[in-house]
Amino acid sequence: MSVILATAGQDDKIRFWEAPSGICSRVIRYADSQVNCLQITTDKQYLAAGGNPHIRLYEINNSSNQNAILCLEGHTGNVTSLGFQRNGRYLYSGSEDGTVKLWDLRSPTFSRSFDSKGPVNSVALHPNQAEIISGDQNGSIKIFDLGSSKCINDIVPDSHASSTSSQGRVPIQSVDVSGDARTLIAANNHAEVFAWNPSDATMKQNGEPYRPVAKFRAHQLGAYLLHAKISPDCRHLVTTSSDKTARLFDTTTWQLTQTLSQHKKWVWDAVFSADSSYLVTASSDRSSLLWNLRTGTPVRQYTDHDYAVTCVALNDSST
């Protein structure tokens, strides 16, 4: 299978799709809860799904086995975000239970747990494979060093939006790091996006605040931002929102370049193709759309879910 595309959401099902045709090729029942997040290993062998409060790992190339081959238990709240280290042996996750966990997939229990001191909405792995970045409901971005098992930075962006957290801060909804390690972004749920250059030497001085190289509003006032992701070629940022759109920004100028507006309800998630020329979005309108970013138009629709589609995973890499 050269292209692996999976979607999931509030109907307790994971659906695999034939990306070119739009045909659903396989359905896996995810018992006990909705699915919050999906991730595919680099080698296209396994799919990880995060629910409440468990993480389950499924074989991709064995369609006869509908059961999880591994269930990771240790979180006590919704698993909101997850990913794999490059070699696929380790998985990292963030949860509303306030922790970021690292899992060795040879064991069903976590190998390390970091206290984020607030419900975690998003986690990302630095390309150096040695740092995990988290964004939480308390408006904080934390950087955890896997070598020392310590939090080495705690950033609170200067938001202009009205706060909704107990500490008077705006919750961070999404974090990501570009593949070239030159851009770290964080987006709060009021659609403010902050960007930093993690390789900037001035950011590594003790006691010095991280100064963003860019700060802008991605969606209009009153809209909620739900997800933000940097493209594999590091040239684009996509944001998804309650305003029924996904928007693309140039990561050099941070100017809006495209607004994708065919969905009829909230757009929860989005994922780029390996060459950054296509995008798949997931929406509350029970559909996912495949977009050609050269034309800004949808070229395929995936519509078999019974309720909102809240997460999507794609791996079409040739390596």
Side-chain angles (χ1 to χ4, degrees), residues 53-75:
H54 24 60
I55 301 167
R56 294 189 177 123
L57 204 67
Y58 297 91
E59 287 182 295
I60 290 174
N61 298 316
N62 183 7
S63 58
S64 62
N65 183 10
Q66 299 297 302
N67 299 317
I69 61 165
L70 185 63
C71 186
L72 305 177
E73 298 191 0
H75 282 301

PDB file of all heavy atoms in Angstrom, residues 53-75:
ATOM      1  N   PRO A  53      -9.333   6.619  28.053  1.00  0.00           N
ATOM      2  CA  PRO A  53      -8.031   7.295  28.189  1.00  0.00           C
ATOM      3  C   PRO A  53      -6.901   6.502  27.541  1.00  0.00           C
ATOM      4  O   PRO A  53      -5.751   6.718  27.860  1.00  0.00           O
ATOM      5  CB  PRO A  53      -7.862   7.318  29.711  1.00  0.00           C
ATOM      6  CG  PRO A  53      -8.457   5.995  30.153  1.00  0.00           C
ATOM      7  CD  PRO A  53      -9.550   5.646  29.156  1.00  0.00           C
ATOM      8  N   HIS A  54      -7.217   5.586  26.635  1.00  0.00           N
ATOM      9  CA  HIS A  54      -6.217   4.631  26.169  1.00  0.00           C
ATOM     10  C   HIS A  54      -5.669   4.987  24.795  1.00  0.00           C
ATOM     11  O   HIS A  54      -6.236   5.788  24.043  1.00  0.00           O
ATOM     12  CB  HIS A  54      -6.808   3.218  26.134  1.00  0.00           C
ATOM     13  CG  HIS A  54      -8.295   3.200  26.010  1.00  0.00           C
ATOM     14  ND1 HIS A  54      -8.948   3.754  24.932  1.00  0.00           N
ATOM     15  CD2 HIS A  54      -9.268   2.749  26.844  1.00  0.00           C
ATOM     16  CE1 HIS A  54     -10.270   3.630  25.098  1.00  0.00           C
ATOM     17  NE2 HIS A  54     -10.486   3.024  26.247  1.00  0.00           N
ATOM     18  N   ILE A  55      -4.555   4.347  24.442  1.00  0.00           N
ATOM     19  CA  ILE A  55      -3.957   4.426  23.115  1.00  0.00           C
ATOM     20  C   ILE A  55      -3.904   3.005  22.573  1.00  0.00           C
ATOM     21  O   ILE A  55      -3.465   2.095  23.267  1.00  0.00           O
ATOM     22  CB  ILE A  55      -2.533   5.017  23.162  1.00  0.00           C
ATOM     23  CG1 ILE A  55      -2.550   6.426  23.759  1.00  0.00           C
ATOM     24  CG2 ILE A  55      -1.900   5.022  21.769  1.00  0.00           C
ATOM     25  CD1 ILE A  55      -1.174   6.941  24.135  1.00  0.00           C
ATOM     26  N   ARG A  56      -4.361   2.812  21.339  1.00  0.00           N
ATOM     27  CA  ARG A  56      -4.335   1.479  20.751  1.00  0.00           C
ATOM     28  C   ARG A  56      -3.527   1.495  19.457  1.00  0.00           C
ATOM     29  O   ARG A  56      -3.583   2.465  18.689  1.00  0.00           O
ATOM     30  CB  ARG A  56      -5.757   0.984  20.484  1.00  0.00           C
ATOM     31  CG  ARG A  56      -6.551   0.773  21.777  1.00  0.00           C
ATOM     32  CD  ARG A  56      -7.874   0.084  21.526  1.00  0.00           C
ATOM     33  NE  ARG A  56      -8.555  -0.166  22.797  1.00  0.00           N
ATOM     34  CZ  ARG A  56      -9.785   0.272  23.089  1.00  0.00           C
ATOM     35  NH1 ARG A  56     -10.456   0.962  22.194  1.00  0.00           N
ATOM     36  NH2 ARG A  56     -10.328   0.008  24.253  1.00  0.00           N
ATOM     37  N   LEU A  57      -2.807   0.404  19.244  1.00  0.00           N
ATOM     38  CA  LEU A  57      -1.955   0.257  18.073  1.00  0.00           C
ATOM     39  C   LEU A  57      -2.513  -0.853  17.194  1.00  0.00           C
ATOM     40  O   LEU A  57      -2.794  -1.956  17.672  1.00  0.00           O
ATOM     41  CB  LEU A  57      -0.532  -0.081  18.521  1.00  0.00           C
ATOM     42  CG  LEU A  57       0.612   0.268  17.560  1.00  0.00           C
ATOM     43  CD1 LEU A  57       0.743   1.776  17.431  1.00  0.00           C
ATOM     44  CD2 LEU A  57       1.922  -0.331  18.055  1.00  0.00           C
ATOM     45  N   TYR A  58      -2.685  -0.545  15.891  1.00  0.00           N
ATOM     46  CA  TYR A  58      -3.275  -1.501  14.956  1.00  0.00           C
ATOM     47  C   TYR A  58      -2.300  -1.804  13.808  1.00  0.00           C
ATOM     48  O   TYR A  58      -1.545  -0.930  13.381  1.00  0.00           O
ATOM     49  CB  TYR A  58      -4.564  -0.935  14.354  1.00  0.00           C
ATOM     50  CG  TYR A  58      -5.649  -0.678  15.363  1.00  0.00           C
ATOM     51  CD1 TYR A  58      -5.759   0.568  15.974  1.00  0.00           C
ATOM     52  CD2 TYR A  58      -6.557  -1.668  15.704  1.00  0.00           C
ATOM     53  CE1 TYR A  58      -6.755   0.820  16.912  1.00  0.00           C
ATOM     54  CE2 TYR A  58      -7.558  -1.430  16.650  1.00  0.00           C
ATOM     55  CZ  TYR A  58      -7.650  -0.185  17.243  1.00  0.00           C
ATOM     56  OH  TYR A  58      -8.630   0.064  18.177  1.00  0.00           O
ATOM     57  N   GLU A  59      -2.380  -3.052  13.323  1.00  0.00           N
ATOM     58  CA  GLU A  59      -1.617  -3.425  12.132  1.00  0.00           C
ATOM     59  C   GLU A  59      -2.310  -2.847  10.902  1.00  0.00           C
ATOM     60  O   GLU A  59      -3.521  -2.997  10.735  1.00  0.00           O
ATOM     61  CB  GLU A  59      -1.535  -4.941  12.002  1.00  0.00           C
ATOM     62  CG  GLU A  59      -0.605  -5.613  12.985  1.00  0.00           C
ATOM     63  CD  GLU A  59      -0.546  -7.108  12.740  1.00  0.00           C
ATOM     64  OE1 GLU A  59      -1.584  -7.780  12.930  1.00  0.00           O
ATOM     65  OE2 GLU A  59       0.528  -7.594  12.350  1.00  0.00           O
ATOM     66  N   ILE A  60      -1.551  -2.215  10.034  1.00  0.00           N
ATOM     67  CA  ILE A  60      -2.133  -1.633   8.827  1.00  0.00           C
ATOM     68  C   ILE A  60      -2.263  -2.667   7.715  1.00  0.00           C
ATOM     69  O   ILE A  60      -3.272  -2.711   7.001  1.00  0.00           O
ATOM     70  CB  ILE A  60      -1.290  -0.431   8.353  1.00  0.00           C
ATOM     71  CG1 ILE A  60      -1.459   0.738   9.341  1.00  0.00           C
ATOM     72  CG2 ILE A  60      -1.677   0.002   6.938  1.00  0.00           C
ATOM     73  CD1 ILE A  60      -0.582   1.931   9.067  1.00  0.00           C
ATOM     74  N   ASN A  61      -1.287  -3.526   7.564  1.00  0.00           N
ATOM     75  CA  ASN A  61      -1.247  -4.437   6.418  1.00  0.00           C
ATOM     76  C   ASN A  61      -1.877  -5.804   6.680  1.00  0.00           C
ATOM     77  O   ASN A  61      -1.744  -6.711   5.868  1.00  0.00           O
ATOM     78  CB  ASN A  61       0.200  -4.610   5.952  1.00  0.00           C
ATOM     79  CG  ASN A  61       0.790  -3.288   5.476  1.00  0.00           C
ATOM     80  OD1 ASN A  61       0.135  -2.540   4.764  1.00  0.00           O
ATOM     81  ND2 ASN A  61       2.009  -2.989   5.893  1.00  0.00           N
ATOM     82  N   ASN A  62      -2.563  -5.935   7.804  1.00  0.00           N
ATOM     83  CA  ASN A  62      -3.260  -7.180   8.123  1.00  0.00           C
ATOM     84  C   ASN A  62      -4.733  -6.866   8.347  1.00  0.00           C
ATOM     85  O   ASN A  62      -5.187  -6.733   9.480  1.00  0.00           O
ATOM     86  CB  ASN A  62      -2.637  -7.839   9.351  1.00  0.00           C
ATOM     87  CG  ASN A  62      -3.277  -9.181   9.683  1.00  0.00           C
ATOM     88  OD1 ASN A  62      -4.109  -9.688   8.929  1.00  0.00           O
ATOM     89  ND2 ASN A  62      -2.909  -9.756  10.819  1.00  0.00           N
ATOM     90  N   SER A  63      -5.460  -6.727   7.273  1.00  0.00           N
ATOM     91  CA  SER A  63      -6.854  -6.293   7.366  1.00  0.00           C
ATOM     92  C   SER A  63      -7.756  -7.328   8.020  1.00  0.00           C
ATOM     93  O   SER A  63      -8.876  -7.014   8.435  1.00  0.00           O
ATOM     94  CB  SER A  63      -7.392  -5.941   5.976  1.00  0.00           C
ATOM     95  OG  SER A  63      -7.288  -7.054   5.108  1.00  0.00           O
ATOM     96  N   SER A  64      -7.295  -8.574   8.129  1.00  0.00           N
ATOM     97  CA  SER A  64      -8.111  -9.609   8.764  1.00  0.00           C
ATOM     98  C   SER A  64      -8.127  -9.460  10.282  1.00  0.00           C
ATOM     99  O   SER A  64      -9.010  -9.995  10.953  1.00  0.00           O
ATOM    100  CB  SER A  64      -7.578 -10.993   8.390  1.00  0.00           C
ATOM    101  OG  SER A  64      -6.255 -11.170   8.866  1.00  0.00           O
ATOM    102  N   ASN A  65      -7.160  -8.725  10.832  1.00  0.00           N
ATOM    103  CA  ASN A  65      -7.098  -8.524  12.275  1.00  0.00           C
ATOM    104  C   ASN A  65      -7.688  -7.164  12.629  1.00  0.00           C
ATOM    105  O   ASN A  65      -7.069  -6.121  12.402  1.00  0.00           O
ATOM    106  CB  ASN A  65      -5.650  -8.623  12.766  1.00  0.00           C
ATOM    107  CG  ASN A  65      -5.560  -8.496  14.282  1.00  0.00           C
ATOM    108  OD1 ASN A  65      -6.576  -8.520  14.985  1.00  0.00           O
ATOM    109  ND2 ASN A  65      -4.356  -8.351  14.791  1.00  0.00           N
ATOM    110  N   GLN A  66      -8.905  -7.175  13.184  1.00  0.00           N
ATOM    111  CA  GLN A  66      -9.580  -5.932  13.552  1.00  0.00           C
ATOM    112  C   GLN A  66      -9.230  -5.482  14.965  1.00  0.00           C
ATOM    113  O   GLN A  66      -9.643  -4.396  15.389  1.00  0.00           O
ATOM    114  CB  GLN A  66     -11.097  -6.115  13.435  1.00  0.00           C
ATOM    115  CG  GLN A  66     -11.558  -6.460  12.042  1.00  0.00           C
ATOM    116  CD  GLN A  66     -11.266  -5.352  11.040  1.00  0.00           C
ATOM    117  OE1 GLN A  66     -11.716  -4.227  11.199  1.00  0.00           O
ATOM    118  NE2 GLN A  66     -10.483  -5.661  10.002  1.00  0.00           N
ATOM    119  N   ASN A  67      -8.490  -6.311  15.683  1.00  0.00           N
ATOM    120  CA  ASN A  67      -8.173  -5.993  17.070  1.00  0.00           C
ATOM    121  C   ASN A  67      -6.838  -5.267  17.184  1.00  0.00           C
ATOM    122  O   ASN A  67      -5.940  -5.447  16.357  1.00  0.00           O
ATOM    123  CB  ASN A  67      -8.120  -7.272  17.906  1.00  0.00           C
ATOM    124  CG  ASN A  67      -9.447  -8.001  17.925  1.00  0.00           C
ATOM    125  OD1 ASN A  67     -10.495  -7.376  18.072  1.00  0.00           O
ATOM    126  ND2 ASN A  67      -9.408  -9.318  17.757  1.00  0.00           N
ATOM    127  N   ALA A  68      -6.707  -4.478  18.232  1.00  0.00           N
ATOM    128  CA  ALA A  68      -5.445  -3.801  18.504  1.00  0.00           C
ATOM    129  C   ALA A  68      -4.386  -4.829  18.888  1.00  0.00           C
ATOM    130  O   ALA A  68      -4.682  -5.796  19.590  1.00  0.00           O
ATOM    131  CB  ALA A  68      -5.629  -2.789  19.623  1.00  0.00           C
ATOM    132  N   ILE A  69      -3.173  -4.628  18.400  1.00  0.00           N
ATOM    133  CA  ILE A  69      -2.087  -5.533  18.787  1.00  0.00           C
ATOM    134  C   ILE A  69      -1.423  -5.073  20.078  1.00  0.00           C
ATOM    135  O   ILE A  69      -0.684  -5.828  20.714  1.00  0.00           O
ATOM    136  CB  ILE A  69      -1.036  -5.660  17.673  1.00  0.00           C
ATOM    137  CG1 ILE A  69      -0.403  -4.293  17.360  1.00  0.00           C
ATOM    138  CG2 ILE A  69      -1.637  -6.277  16.432  1.00  0.00           C
ATOM    139  CD1 ILE A  69       0.872  -4.389  16.551  1.00  0.00           C
ATOM    140  N   LEU A  70      -1.711  -3.830  20.480  1.00  0.00           N
ATOM    141  CA  LEU A  70      -1.156  -3.296  21.727  1.00  0.00           C
ATOM    142  C   LEU A  70      -2.081  -2.216  22.249  1.00  0.00           C
ATOM    143  O   LEU A  70      -2.559  -1.362  21.480  1.00  0.00           O
ATOM    144  CB  LEU A  70       0.245  -2.714  21.474  1.00  0.00           C
ATOM    145  CG  LEU A  70       1.039  -2.218  22.683  1.00  0.00           C
ATOM    146  CD1 LEU A  70       1.339  -3.370  23.648  1.00  0.00           C
ATOM    147  CD2 LEU A  70       2.348  -1.566  22.227  1.00  0.00           C
ATOM    148  N   CYS A  71      -2.378  -2.247  23.530  1.00  0.00           N
ATOM    149  CA  CYS A  71      -3.172  -1.211  24.189  1.00  0.00           C
ATOM    150  C   CYS A  71      -2.305  -0.572  25.265  1.00  0.00           C
ATOM    151  O   CYS A  71      -1.850  -1.261  26.182  1.00  0.00           O
ATOM    152  CB  CYS A  71      -4.448  -1.789  24.794  1.00  0.00           C
ATOM    153  SG  CYS A  71      -5.548  -0.527  25.479  1.00  0.00           S
ATOM    154  N   LEU A  72      -2.052   0.714  25.124  1.00  0.00           N
ATOM    155  CA  LEU A  72      -1.199   1.430  26.065  1.00  0.00           C
ATOM    156  C   LEU A  72      -2.071   2.102  27.118  1.00  0.00           C
ATOM    157  O   LEU A  72      -2.915   2.943  26.791  1.00  0.00           O
ATOM    158  CB  LEU A  72      -0.355   2.473  25.330  1.00  0.00           C
ATOM    159  CG  LEU A  72       0.500   1.946  24.166  1.00  0.00           C
ATOM    160  CD1 LEU A  72       1.223   3.085  23.471  1.00  0.00           C
ATOM    161  CD2 LEU A  72       1.491   0.895  24.651  1.00  0.00           C
ATOM    162  N   GLU A  73      -1.865   1.720  28.371  1.00  0.00           N
ATOM    163  CA  GLU A  73      -2.678   2.252  29.455  1.00  0.00           C
ATOM    164  C   GLU A  73      -1.792   2.936  30.480  1.00  0.00           C
ATOM    165  O   GLU A  73      -0.744   2.419  30.849  1.00  0.00           O
ATOM    166  CB  GLU A  73      -3.494   1.128  30.084  1.00  0.00           C
ATOM    167  CG  GLU A  73      -4.458   0.487  29.093  1.00  0.00           C
ATOM    168  CD  GLU A  73      -5.454  -0.449  29.764  1.00  0.00           C
ATOM    169  OE1 GLU A  73      -5.380  -0.593  30.991  1.00  0.00           O
ATOM    170  OE2 GLU A  73      -6.287  -1.014  29.049  1.00  0.00           O
ATOM    171  N   GLY A  74      -2.231   4.106  30.923  1.00  0.00           N
ATOM    172  CA  GLY A  74      -1.463   4.887  31.880  1.00  0.00           C
ATOM    173  C   GLY A  74      -2.005   6.299  32.009  1.00  0.00           C
ATOM    174  O   GLY A  74      -1.914   6.930  33.057  1.00  0.00           O
ATOM    175  N   HIS A  75      -2.611   6.798  30.923  1.00  0.00           N
ATOM    176  CA  HIS A  75      -3.298   8.091  31.003  1.00  0.00           C
ATOM    177  C   HIS A  75      -4.626   7.911  31.740  1.00  0.00           C
ATOM    178  O   HIS A  75      -5.229   6.823  31.705  1.00  0.00           O
ATOM    179  CB  HIS A  75      -3.552   8.653  29.606  1.00  0.00           C
ATOM    180  CG  HIS A  75      -2.345   9.284  28.972  1.00  0.00           C
ATOM    181  ND1 HIS A  75      -1.675  10.343  29.532  1.00  0.00           N
ATOM    182  CD2 HIS A  75      -1.702   8.997  27.808  1.00  0.00           C
ATOM    183  CE1 HIS A  75      -0.667  10.691  28.746  1.00  0.00           C
ATOM    184  NE2 HIS A  75      -0.655   9.886  27.705  1.00  0.00           N
TER     185      HIS A  75
END
